[in-house]
Amino acid sequence: MSKGFLARLRLSSLRLRLVVVFALVALTAAVSASGIAYWLNREAVLTRTQDGALNDFRQEMQNRAATLPLRPTEEDLRRTAEQMAAGSAANYQVLLLGERAAGKPIVGASDPDDFTLADVPRSLREAVDTRRPVTDANPYPYHLFWQRTERNGTPYLVGGTRIDGGGPAGYMFKSLAAEKADLNSLAWSLGIATALAVAGSVLLAQVAATTVLRPVHRLGEAAKQLGEGKLDTRLRVTGADELADLTRTFNSAAESLQKKVADMSAREESSRRFVADMSHELRTPLTALTAVTEVLEDEQDALDPMIAPAVALVVSETRRLNDLVENLMEVTRFDAGTARLVVDEVDIADQITACIDARAWLDAVDLDAERGIMVPLDPRRLDVILANLIGNALKHGGSPVRVSVRTEREELVIAVRDHGPGIPEDVLPHVFDRFYKASASRPRSDGSGLGLSIAMENALIHGGSITASNSVGEDGAVDGAVFVLRLPLDASGITREVRTRSGRGEVEDE
């Protein structure tokens, strides 16, 4: 039996259940039919043999035992019993029981070694000796009785009657061994027929299951392809049964899904182009605004005290708007799949130090990193990741923020931990969602809600990931939030952009 066949017949498969049901139905039907056939044949065989032997015995009793004298001798009984057994075509032994005088029984047997009075059941003797009243419904005082018994594993038929009007009682003893052998042969034949019926039903079940399950299997494969994004998957409709209706329904659902996905994709693409175009168009006026705000900021000390707060607000909001536009453009690049890595071999400790120093965070950040850990990555994108993680920790957790670096299992692990109140459990699953605000009552904050999302995208493009969790102190209370950045030490296999001496070009690693 092949492994493929065993795989198809796994316990949970519909095929196996169909085969088992077919086999059980066939087994039940075959056993029932065989049992009924065996019982009917058994009764027919035994009844035929029994009736033939008893009728012959009754006739012999009338023809021979009835001619004996009222007080026969033992020799008379023996000779008559031998004549009855020899003249019978039913091949049975005979025993005659008479009286030489009142209360003095004598026995004559055709074969005393094979059949004696002890072989006659007491209940049968009592029934034979019982005289019944003669009426219109019962013209004879004595009747012929029979009983099936067993001796040494061999079944026997024992019958007995008494001569009306006086005379000996007679008993016959016939072996049913031949009938038992015939019935055993019949049982074996019926058993073999049952086994063949079950085997045939299993084969038929396999054929039926294959016929029924092949369309179901095709539907399953088509649904799998549909789930993998192959929305043009369709099935050929054959026949006019329920499975054909199911196939038509699947095709209709697939067509509707393809249309809806196409509409959604078109709307998403339109929205993405709108965001990208809007961000691009905003850059020109923002550049001018930024230049103006820089001038205003330089002259802020010389401005009227009533105007200075407004100028400070314009400066901060312009910078915030500039950051938002830059973030939106970065997000659109990720969504469009055009983001590339400018890979360089960098010292992680130097890179983190440069990120902290550029933002004047040296006094607020505790760095635990050994020098000399060289990793191929995009320095600009790593700077974006670190700036977002450390800035988020300083904003929500306060200083000091601890940044630790280690390598494990071919990965670079950078952990950023603060000692603030931590992240609420209902917020943890959403910290990397775009525009997600932890507090619904404060929809407007200094951040755009894109920083952690962009950090995650930059990690993913490196083939890495970022996880967020809460640190628990010795007393079991939350002791700050922990963001863990994991990046592969081997940069092969990722799409990247490289710089060359002759210029700049794009390549993709195989």
Side-chain angles (χ1 to χ4, degrees):
M1 189 177 294
S2 65
K3 293 182 178 178
F5 179 76
L6 290 175
R8 290 195 300 271
L9 288 185
R10 60 185 183 277
L11 292 178
S12 60
S13 69
L14 181 59
R15 180 185 298 273
L16 179 58
R17 292 201 292 272
L18 284 173
V19 171
V20 170
V21 169
F22 268 76
L24 288 177
V25 171
L27 181 62
T28 303
V31 169
S32 300
S34 298
I36 293 173
Y38 178 80
W39 181 78
L40 291 175
N41 278 275
R42 179 179 181 275
E43 290 303 313
V45 169
L46 292 179
T47 300
R48 183 175 63 249
T49 302
Q50 174 180 294
D51 291 347
L54 292 177
N55 289 333
D56 186 86
F57 175 67
R58 180 188 287 113
Q59 191 66 38
E60 288 293 325
M61 286 291 291
Q62 292 175 357
N63 294 340
R64 299 182 186 276
T67 62
L68 289 171
L70 187 62
R71 301 293 183 183
T73 65
E74 185 175 350
E75 179 63 21
D76 292 337
L77 295 177
R78 182 188 63 77
R79 184 173 58 255
T80 301
E82 290 176 350
Q83 291 173 354
M84 292 174 63
S88 169
N91 192 22
Y92 52 76
Q93 300 298 325
V94 178
L95 183 146
L96 296 176
L97 179 63
E99 291 182 340
R100 68 168 61 93
K104 296 181 179 181
I106 55 176
V107 178
S110 60
D111 187 355
D113 295 333
D114 186 42
F115 182 39
T116 65
L117 190 60
D119 295 319
V120 180
R122 179 177 296 276
S123 58
L124 180 63
R125 290 177 58 185
E126 292 174 354
V128 169
D129 291 339
T130 300
R131 181 182 178 86
R132 288 163 178 77
V134 177
T135 62
D136 293 338
N138 180 42
Y140 304 106
Y142 297 103
H143 295 267
L144 175 64
F145 295 92
W146 60 270
Q147 186 175 338
R148 292 174 192 160
T149 185
E150 189 173 293
R151 188 180 70 180
N152 298 327
T154 302
Y156 287 90
L157 173 67
V158 182
T161 189
R162 180 177 287 277
I163 300 297
D164 295 336
Y171 297 95
M172 55 85 68
F173 193 65
K174 175 174 175 54
S175 172
L176 298 177
E179 287 72 18
K180 180 180 180 181
D182 291 341
L183 291 174
N184 287 340
S185 298
L186 176 63
W188 273 104
S189 299
L190 292 175
I192 293 173
T194 300
L196 292 176
V198 172
S201 70
V202 171
L203 294 177
L204 289 175
Q206 276 288 88
V207 174
T210 300
T211 303
V212 173
L213 294 181
R214 185 180 292 114
V216 176
H217 178 71
R218 287 201 299 264
L219 278 170
E221 289 296 322
K224 182 180 178 181
Q225 293 177 8
L226 204 62
E228 292 173 350
K230 301 176 181 177
L231 301 181
D232 58 343
T233 301
R234 300 292 185 274
L235 291 173
R236 184 169 57 89
V237 180
T238 57
D241 54 9
E242 290 80 358
L243 288 173
D245 293 338
L246 180 60
T247 303
R248 293 189 187 92
T249 302
F250 173 84
N251 289 340
S252 176
E255 184 176 357
S256 177
L257 179 62
Q258 185 180 20
K259 184 177 182 300
K260 289 182 179 179
V261 170
D263 292 342
M264 291 176 62
S265 298
R267 288 196 296 269
E268 183 180 0
E269 181 63 26
S270 177
S271 299
R272 187 182 297 118
R273 284 197 305 269
F274 171 76
V275 172
D277 293 342
M278 180 190 68
S279 302
H280 186 269
E281 292 298 326
L282 283 174
R283 293 193 72 177
T284 301
L286 273 176
T287 301
L289 283 174
T290 301
V292 173
T293 55
E294 288 177 355
V295 173
L296 290 174
E297 188 176 19
D298 292 339
E299 299 295 331
Q300 187 173 358
D301 294 338
L303 295 175
D304 189 305
M306 298 295 291
I307 302 176
V311 171
L313 179 61
V314 169
V315 170
S316 62
E317 290 301 306
T318 302
R319 287 175 177 170
R320 183 171 176 271
L321 182 59
N322 190 63
D323 292 340
L324 177 59
V325 171
E326 290 295 332
N327 288 339
L328 285 174
M329 294 189 66
E330 186 75 0
V331 167
T332 57
R333 282 192 288 268
F334 282 120
D335 289 343
T338 59
R340 293 291 184 269
L341 296 179
V342 181
V343 178
D344 194 6
E345 197 87 10
V346 299
D347 187 309
I348 294 299
D350 291 343
Q351 190 68 27
I352 299 176
T353 301
C355 173
I356 297 172
D357 185 41
R359 293 162 179 83
W361 291 341
L362 288 176
D363 295 335
V365 177
D366 180 15
L367 176 60
D368 178 16
E370 295 182 4
R371 295 189 178 276
I373 302 177
M374 306 299 294
V375 180
L377 47 76
D378 187 329
R380 184 187 69 84
R381 295 190 183 276
L382 178 62
D383 183 79
V384 172
I385 297 173
L386 294 173
N388 278 291
L389 296 182
I390 298 174
N392 185 75
L394 289 172
K395 181 186 300 182
H396 299 286
S399 59
V401 171
R402 180 177 178 80
V403 179
S404 59
V405 180
R406 68 182 186 275
T407 58
E408 60 178 36
R409 297 181 182 178
E410 303 301 322
E411 283 186 331
L412 171 68
V413 180
I414 302 176
V416 179
R417 176 184 176 184
D418 61 51
H419 295 279
I423 305 173
E425 291 298 326
D426 59 329
V427 175
L428 269 175
H430 306 286
V431 292
F432 296 105
D433 293 351
R434 294 177 182 176
F435 301 106
Y436 182 78
K437 301 288 186 178
S439 175
S441 63
R442 298 174 59 189
R444 187 182 186 282
S445 64
D446 293 340
S448 64
L450 291 173
L452 291 179
S453 173
I454 291 175
M456 176 63 82
E457 294 287 355
N458 279 298
L460 293 176
I461 200 173
H462 278 90
S465 65
I466 305 176
T467 57
S469 61
N470 287 319
S471 176
V472 180
E474 295 181 358
D475 58 353
V478 174
D479 185 21
V482 180
F483 286 82
V484 179
L485 168 66
R486 295 179 180 271
L487 297 176
L489 294 176
D490 183 7
S492 62
I494 60 176
T495 303
R496 59 184 179 177
E497 182 182 31
V498 298
R499 297 180 187 273
T500 64
R501 293 181 181 178
S502 59
R504 186 173 177 181
E506 293 186 0
V507 300
E508 290 188 2
D509 288 345
E510 296 295 334

Coordinates of all heavy atoms in Angstrom, one line a residue, residues 4 49 51 57 131 202 243 249 253 295 307 324 346 373 437 439 462 474:
G4 N 1.0 7.5 -0.6 CA 0.1 8.4 -1.0 C -1.4 8.0 -0.7 O -2.2 8.8 -0.3
T49 N -34.6 -33.7 7.5 CA -34.0 -35.0 8.1 C -34.8 -35.5 9.2 O -35.1 -36.7 9.3 CB -32.5 -34.7 8.6 OG1 -31.8 -34.2 7.5 CG2 -31.9 -35.9 9.1
D51 N -38.1 -34.9 9.9 CA -39.4 -35.4 9.5 C -39.2 -36.8 8.8 O -40.1 -37.7 9.0 CB -40.1 -34.4 8.6 CG -40.5 -33.2 9.3 OD1 -40.5 -33.2 10.5 OD2 -40.8 -32.2 8.6
F57 N -39.7 -43.9 11.4 CA -39.7 -44.6 12.7 C -41.2 -44.9 13.1 O -41.5 -46.0 13.6 CB -39.0 -43.7 13.8 CG -39.1 -44.3 15.1 CD1 -38.5 -45.5 15.5 CD2 -39.9 -43.6 16.1 CE1 -38.6 -46.0 16.8 CE2 -40.0 -44.2 17.4 CZ -39.3 -45.3 17.7
R131 N -50.1 -40.9 29.3 CA -51.3 -41.2 28.5 C -52.2 -40.0 28.6 O -52.5 -39.4 29.6 CB -52.0 -42.4 29.1 CG -53.2 -42.8 28.4 CD -53.9 -44.0 29.1 NE -55.1 -44.4 28.4 CZ -55.2 -45.2 27.4 NH1 -54.1 -45.8 26.9 NH2 -56.4 -45.5 26.9
V202 N -15.9 -2.0 -0.5 CA -14.8 -1.0 -0.3 C -14.3 -0.5 -1.6 O -14.0 0.7 -1.8 CB -13.7 -1.7 0.5 CG1 -12.4 -0.8 0.6 CG2 -14.1 -2.0 2.0
L243 N -23.0 19.3 -7.3 CA -21.6 19.8 -7.3 C -21.4 20.8 -8.5 O -20.6 21.7 -8.3 CB -20.7 18.6 -7.5 CG -20.5 17.6 -6.3 CD1 -19.8 16.4 -6.7 CD2 -19.9 18.4 -5.2
T249 N -21.5 28.5 -8.2 CA -21.5 29.4 -7.1 C -20.0 29.9 -6.8 O -19.8 31.1 -6.6 CB -22.1 28.8 -5.9 OG1 -23.4 28.3 -6.2 CG2 -22.1 29.8 -4.7
A253 N -18.7 33.6 -7.1 CA -18.1 34.3 -5.9 C -16.6 34.8 -6.3 O -16.2 35.9 -5.9 CB -18.0 33.4 -4.7
V295 N 14.6 82.4 9.1 CA 15.0 83.8 9.3 C 14.2 84.4 10.5 O 14.8 85.1 11.3 CB 14.6 84.5 8.0 CG1 14.8 86.0 8.2 CG2 15.5 84.1 6.8
I307 N 4.6 89.6 19.4 CA 4.6 88.8 18.2 C 5.5 87.5 18.4 O 5.3 86.5 17.7 CB 5.2 89.7 17.0 CG1 4.3 90.9 16.9 CG2 5.2 88.9 15.7 CD1 4.8 91.9 15.8
L324 N 6.0 65.7 8.8 CA 4.9 64.9 8.4 C 4.9 64.7 6.9 O 4.7 63.5 6.4 CB 3.6 65.7 8.7 CG 2.3 65.0 8.3 CD1 2.1 63.6 8.9 CD2 1.1 65.9 8.6
V346 N 29.0 49.2 8.6 CA 29.2 50.3 9.6 C 29.4 49.7 11.0 O 29.1 48.5 11.2 CB 27.9 51.1 9.7 CG1 27.6 51.8 8.4 CG2 26.7 50.2 10.1
I373 N 31.7 46.0 16.2 CA 30.6 45.1 15.7 C 30.2 45.7 14.3 O 29.5 46.7 14.2 CB 29.4 45.1 16.6 CG1 29.8 44.5 18.0 CG2 28.3 44.2 16.0 CD1 28.7 44.5 19.0
K437 N -3.1 56.5 17.9 CA -2.9 57.3 19.1 C -3.3 56.5 20.3 O -4.4 55.9 20.3 CB -3.7 58.6 19.0 CG -3.5 59.5 17.8 CD -2.1 60.2 17.9 CE -1.9 61.1 16.7 NZ -0.7 61.9 16.8
S439 N -4.1 57.6 23.2 CA -5.2 58.2 23.9 C -6.1 58.8 22.9 O -5.7 59.7 22.1 CB -4.6 59.3 24.9 OG -5.7 60.0 25.5
H462 N 15.2 45.6 5.8 CA 16.5 45.0 6.2 C 16.4 43.5 6.4 O 17.4 42.8 6.6 CB 17.1 45.6 7.4 CG 17.8 46.9 7.2 ND1 17.1 48.1 7.3 CD2 19.1 47.2 6.9 CE1 18.0 49.1 7.0 NE2 19.2 48.6 6.8
E474 N 11.3 43.6 39.9 CA 11.4 42.5 40.9 C 10.1 42.4 41.7 O 9.7 41.3 42.2 CB 12.6 42.7 41.8 CG 13.9 42.5 41.1 CD 15.1 42.7 42.1 OE1 14.8 42.9 43.3 OE2 16.2 42.5 41.7

